[in-house]
Amino acid sequence: MLLSRPDLLSDLAEGDDHQLLRSALAGYVSAVATAVGVPPEGTSFEVTDTVTAYLGLSRRAPSYPGRDLMLVWSARQGWAVSVEPRPDEAPLVLARLGGDVVPAPEAVGRFVTEVVSRTGGTPLGAPPARVAADDEDLVARMLLRAGQT
């Protein structure tokens, strides 16, 4: 089921549900970071009106040898590998991981390896990610993927 829910977290209060989502995201990001080989200090995430994560990659793409790469995630768009932007530019997305917005960490690891190892500069296409139906679904899927169920 493909959903586009701009109001995904609009009803989320700063209480228990908010903390549960933060905790689930922390576990999921940690599991993905392990699968990708990013140390904890190379990660960040936030739960505000959006739910996002950032992992700084130590690898570089052959088509952008002098540029750092980042792996970013959002609850609405899933994972993407992008060229780290300079102050005067927008991020250049190299590829998006289609399918489930909360894929298994190992699948994210394979995706990063594939993107970084490509020699061409053509972005990989992907269908829209399957997003969560609501915040409870998002939490449940992150806990499952991080092995916390």
Side-chain angles (χ1 to χ4, degrees), residues 5-6 10 22 31 36 53 67 79 95-97 112-113 116 119 121 130 145-146:
R5 292 277 315 269
S10 61
R22 228 180 118 62
V36 175
R67 303 291 300 272
W79 290 103
R96 288 195 179 283
L97 180 57
V112 170
T113 298
V116 171
T119 57
R130 179 181 157 252
R145 296 298 193 192

Side-chain angles (χ1 to χ4, degrees), residues 8-15 17-19 21 47-48 51 135:
L8 180 65
L9 300 172
S10 61
D11 297 328
L12 233 162
E14 288 289 325
D17 290 344
H18 188 82
Q19 188 55 39
L21 181 55
V47 176
T48 57
V51 182
D135 55 295

